[in-house]
Amino acid sequence: MIRRIKLPGWIVIILLLAGIIFGINQVVAKVLAESPEPNEPNEKIVDSSVYPGLNIKTKTKETDLYTLSVSQPYTDNEQINKSINEWVDKQKKEFTSSIKESKNMLEENDFRAHLNIQAETEKIADKIYTLEFEAYQITGGANGMTKMKSFVIDLNQNKLLQLDDVFQLNEESIKNIQKLIMKELHSNQKISFYIFDDLAKEALKDPDKWKWSVGRDKVTFYFDEYEISAGAAGAIKAKIPMEKIKPYLNEKFAKKIDVKIPEKENSKEEEQHSEDKVKLDPDGKYVALTFDDGPHPDVTLRILETLKKHDAKATFFMLGSQVEYYPSLANKVEEAGHEIGNHTTNHQDLSILGLNKIKGEVQKSSRIIEKATGQKPTLLRPPYGAWNDSVKQVAKQMGVPMVMWSVDSLDWKSRNAAAVNEKVMSNVAPGSIVLLHDIHPSTADALPQLLTSLEKQGYQMVTVSQLLELWDGKGAGPFYGKIG
């Protein structure tokens, strides 16, 4: 017989249930807060890429547990986008699952996990592109994990090219391609010692499982870290020269890529532009607005228009991966008299990279920016503001000061124009360096009112270099600016 529960007992049960529900809600809220953010709704993208029909979007996120940076090319064809998005989303899902498993370890060791997905693009014929993805994640331990994936896109047909679109798949061709790959693996002295032949042959056994891409002068086959070798070899690329593999290509495809389309010369003016070297008054009220992660084909243009109306100068810390897609936009920023700084190539956390990889991230971005604008960037902002002695050493060797910020608008978090303005105006002071991003439409929405408010308080908008000159700032830094 079940004893009748009296009123006090019911109260206790209700309170217990309420506590359980509250706890579940808290857990769900935390997971949602730490999940990669969705795409912004109704975002307008103007096709101004140097790759016709192909654009790129770089998304970044930072939490107490992890940092994330994803470069994601996309087209006007939903089916092509779907295949790319599915692979990228799979990497994100695996990453967030790993974070949940290692959450306690991350917190105990005061270590943030990191996911970086970068995409290299190569045009191999008219509207035919190869996208080479590399996903690196580290959620603890000494080493991270690298995975690779490629997509070959023919926008003339609006399709992802499959194996039989590119290669002859008769038995003889498959065997010969397998031999070429094995020969290449063993001829590479850096990795041959680590290769396990039985694993390599197993990975090549089924052509449907090959990971491959086509370039103008080579075909590349990819193997994930640990797939065919010891971990010391890392992720592996076997590059077969086109002359060797050409006999095994699909005849129609071979004709397409053999047609040599002359590269269009960059018709931009060689005339160099730079911000006016105006001597600043030591007693003046100056603030440096800085914009990270661009250029963006819509947002950057809106920001340039607003800055022009207010006769304001700013500093844009650009990603090499974005400039590669939108060189004309980077050039517009420079032509308008604004300053361009280096934000690395792929927005990786430099503090967890080795010295050579740090140099590569910074130097490659610098070359891309200089090619697009005619100006070599003279400032460096490490992604996430993360730096260590190795990053400082690279900055010193390259002669580029590291520039941080003293006022964070949190525009990446709020995505709200009013919130951005309130955050900046409540913290700004003479000599402040303000962090903004020219990839969020809400930031462009906020800028007109923000500039008006700053002007009413007597501020003049200048570049970071002008502030550093005023402070007599020298060396590698880092430089943070004044706090209100």
Side-chain angles (χ1 to χ4, degrees):
M1 181 182 296
I2 300 175
R3 187 184 302 173
R4 184 187 297 271
I5 301 175
K6 295 182 179 180
L7 182 60
W10 281 115
I11 292 173
V12 171
I13 292 172
I14 291 170
L15 289 173
L16 285 172
L17 288 172
I20 292 170
I21 293 170
F22 176 77
I24 292 172
N25 286 337
Q26 290 293 96
V27 171
V28 171
K30 184 172 180 62
V31 171
L32 288 174
E34 294 176 353
S35 297
E37 62 197 50
N39 291 336
E40 294 186 81
N42 303 318
E43 185 176 17
K44 180 184 176 184
I45 300 295
V46 179
D47 185 358
S48 58
S49 170
V50 292
Y51 303 110
L54 191 64
N55 279 275
I56 191 169
K57 182 182 294 184
T58 299
K59 286 190 171 292
T60 64
K61 187 172 182 180
E62 180 177 13
T63 74
D64 292 339
L65 288 178
Y66 67 88
T67 61
L68 174 148
S69 177
V70 178
S71 294
Q72 196 161 348
Y74 62 95
T75 72
D76 292 330
N77 184 277
E78 291 304 317
Q79 197 58 42
I80 292 175
N81 294 342
K82 181 182 178 183
S83 298
I84 295 172
N85 293 344
E86 283 177 351
W87 185 83
V88 171
D89 290 343
K90 182 181 178 183
Q91 310 313 308
K92 291 181 183 177
K93 187 175 181 181
E94 291 176 356
F95 177 65
T96 51
S97 296
S98 297
I99 289 173
K100 291 172 188 175
E101 293 175 3
S102 56
K103 179 176 179 293
N104 291 336
M105 184 275 293
L106 292 170
E107 291 176 338
E108 288 173 3
N109 293 288
D110 193 26
F111 177 82
R112 284 198 296 184
H114 185 63
L115 172 66
N116 183 273
I117 301 178
Q118 49 187 275
E120 297 285 341
T121 305
E122 182 177 2
K123 178 180 177 181
I124 54 177
D126 183 31
K127 286 194 172 184
I128 302 178
Y129 308 106
T130 287
L131 305 178
E132 179 185 289
F133 283 85
E134 182 174 305
Y136 173 79
Q137 65 169 278
I138 182 167
T139 55
N143 300 305
M145 171 70 76
T146 300
K147 290 188 177 181
M148 308 193 77
K149 176 70 175 177
S150 63
F151 299 90
V152 181
I153 300 173
D154 186 345
L155 294 182
N156 300 298
Q157 304 179 66
N158 275 324
K159 64 178 287 189
L160 284 172
L161 297 185
Q162 304 301 318
L163 199 68
D164 57 356
D165 293 316
V166 176
F167 299 100
Q168 300 174 31
L169 291 183
N170 57 64
E171 186 175 346
E172 181 181 1
S173 292
I174 291 172
K175 285 184 178 179
N176 286 329
I177 293 172
Q178 290 168 336
K179 289 178 182 177
L180 283 173
I181 297 170
M182 291 300 295
K183 186 175 180 180
E184 173 61 25
L185 291 173
H186 286 294
S187 66
N188 188 332
Q189 295 182 356
K190 291 183 179 180
I191 63 171
S192 60
F193 177 79
Y194 301 103
I195 300 295
F196 300 120
D197 278 7
D198 54 341
L199 293 180
K201 289 177 181 177
E202 183 63 30
L204 293 172
K205 189 175 181 180
D206 183 359
D208 289 335
K209 295 181 180 179
W210 290 354
K211 295 187 285 290
W212 54 274
S213 71
V214 181
R216 287 186 293 269
D217 57 359
K218 65 183 179 301
V219 172
T220 304
F221 295 87
Y222 306 92
F223 302 91
D224 290 335
E225 200 168 354
Y226 300 104
E227 185 179 1
I228 65 169
S229 64
I236 291 173
K237 299 179 185 180
K239 300 177 182 179
I240 313 298
M242 185 59 71
E243 286 304 311
K244 290 185 178 180
I245 206 165
K246 184 177 176 179
Y248 315 115
L249 294 179
N250 178 295
E251 186 176 346
K252 289 182 180 179
F253 182 76
K255 286 181 179 179
K256 287 182 180 180
I257 64 173
D258 279 345
V259 176
K260 301 297 182 182
I261 302 174
E263 295 287 334
K264 291 184 179 180
E265 293 294 328
N266 192 346
S267 60
K268 78 177 187 69
E269 297 289 335
E270 293 299 322
E271 182 184 357
Q272 295 184 347
H273 301 267
S274 61
E275 71 277 5
D276 296 332
K277 299 294 184 180
V278 179
K279 197 79 173 178
L280 299 186
D281 180 355
D283 298 320
K285 290 183 71 173
Y286 303 109
V287 62
L289 300 182
T290 65
F291 297 90
D292 286 13
D293 296 354
H296 183 285
D298 179 41
V299 179
T300 303
L301 286 175
R302 291 176 58 198
I303 287 173
L304 286 177
E305 185 179 345
T306 302
L307 291 170
K308 183 178 180 180
K309 287 179 180 178
H310 287 260
D311 193 24
K313 298 303 179 189
T315 300
F316 291 75
F317 286 96
M318 295 185 179
L319 290 172
S321 58
Q322 292 289 120
V323 175
E324 186 177 26
Y325 268 72
Y326 310 115
S328 62
L329 280 177
N331 192 47
K332 284 182 186 294
V333 173
E334 198 277 332
E335 284 185 332
H338 302 292
E339 183 172 40
I340 297 178
N342 190 337
H343 200 38
T344 74
T345 305
N346 295 296
H347 208 279
Q348 294 200 66
D349 183 341
L350 300 183
S351 67
I352 64 172
L353 301 182
L355 196 62
N356 288 336
K357 286 192 175 182
I358 295 171
K359 287 181 180 177
E361 274 289 303
V362 178
Q363 290 174 344
K364 182 178 179 181
S365 182
S366 182
R367 288 194 298 268
I368 293 171
I369 292 171
E370 184 176 13
K371 182 180 178 182
T373 68
Q375 298 290 321
K376 181 179 289 188
T378 57
L379 302 173
L380 169 66
R381 173 168 285 170
Y384 314 106
W387 64 279
N388 55 17
D389 288 343
S390 294
V391 180
K392 188 169 184 177
Q393 181 180 338
V394 170
K396 186 175 181 180
Q397 288 174 350
M398 294 183 65
V400 287
M402 289 190 293
V403 176
M404 304 304 174
W405 56 89
S406 53
V407 178
D408 188 346
S409 69
L410 295 179
D411 58 346
W412 58 271
K413 186 175 183 180
S414 68
R415 305 296 179 91
N416 179 276
V420 169
N421 285 324
E422 195 281 329
K423 191 71 177 176
V424 174
M425 295 309 299
S426 62
N427 290 280
V428 73
S432 290
I433 298 176
V434 181
L435 173 63
L436 298 148
H437 297 80
D438 59 326
I439 58 172
H440 306 308
S442 50
T443 302
D445 295 339
L447 194 58
Q449 182 57 53
L450 177 59
L451 289 172
T452 299
S453 298
L454 289 168
E455 288 166 349
K456 283 182 178 179
Q457 293 193 15
Y459 285 101
Q460 181 181 340
M461 272 53 72
V462 298
T463 66
V464 168
S465 288
Q466 287 176 300
L467 277 186
L468 293 183
E469 187 176 349
L470 180 65
W471 302 336
D472 197 23
K474 297 176 181 178
F479 299 98
Y480 292 89
K482 306 288 179 62
I483 301 174

